[in-house]
Amino acid sequence: MKPMANIEIKGTEELLRGFEKYRKEATKAIKRGVDRTAGMVASDAKERLAGGLGGLMRRVTGRLIASVHAEFGNKTEQPEKNTFKPVKASEASDKNLNVTIADDEAVAGTNVHYGPYIEFGTKFMSAMSFLGFAAVRQDKRLKERVIEELNKINKG
């Protein structure tokens, strides 16, 4: 029987530290992509409510538009600002959706009590989706944004 060869690999500790650092940076990059997308879902929903993006909104109040916003779990960096501002900054905007958001999540929505009636309709009124529409519109961009953010750390 032939003796087995012993192999010694040097630098494994440093390699493992490098992988751990990359994992942390990649997690932050993915979170930035998620946060950016949630912000854009809120922006698209506001624009749809105001009659843009093919919106059919007739009786939507400024209160509902002002209440639509995104909330972020464990903030990493400030996501891109919403580009659509249909109401004055002085108008009310409740910044609490009353939901638990995990560190790696972001949520877009409204806490105005009649928001679900507009979104899903009633037996007296057809649904006029604004959040669902915006989420579908931004769905493909989520993957693109995450890839953009990961590419930033891969190049750096």
Side-chain angles (χ1 to χ4, degrees), residues 60-156:
V60 175
T61 66
R63 176 71 189 100
L64 177 59
I65 295 170
S67 74
V68 174
H69 66 282
E71 293 182 7
F72 314 98
N74 190 20
K75 270 195 162 168
T76 51
E77 290 181 17
Q78 185 67 25
E80 66 190 46
K81 298 284 186 198
N82 293 346
T83 56
F84 184 75
K85 297 187 192 274
V87 294
K88 295 178 185 175
S90 62
E91 292 191 31
S93 177
D94 297 337
K95 295 294 182 187
N96 188 353
L97 295 175
N98 295 318
V99 294
T100 302
I101 304 171
D103 288 350
D104 58 350
E105 295 177 338
V107 178
T110 177
N111 62 355
V112 171
H113 74 280
Y114 55 89
Y117 302 124
I118 303 292
E119 178 74 23
F120 302 111
T122 68
K123 68 179 185 179
F124 302 109
M125 177 181 84
S126 297
M128 295 183 281
S129 178
F130 57 100
L131 286 166
F133 170 86
V136 168
R137 188 166 192 259
Q138 290 295 327
D139 182 51
K140 290 179 185 170
R141 287 288 294 142
L142 170 62
K143 182 178 177 181
E144 293 169 7
R145 287 184 182 105
V146 168
I147 290 170
E148 286 171 13
E149 294 294 336
L150 288 171
N151 284 337
K152 287 178 187 177
I153 63 170
N154 290 337
K155 291 177 183 175

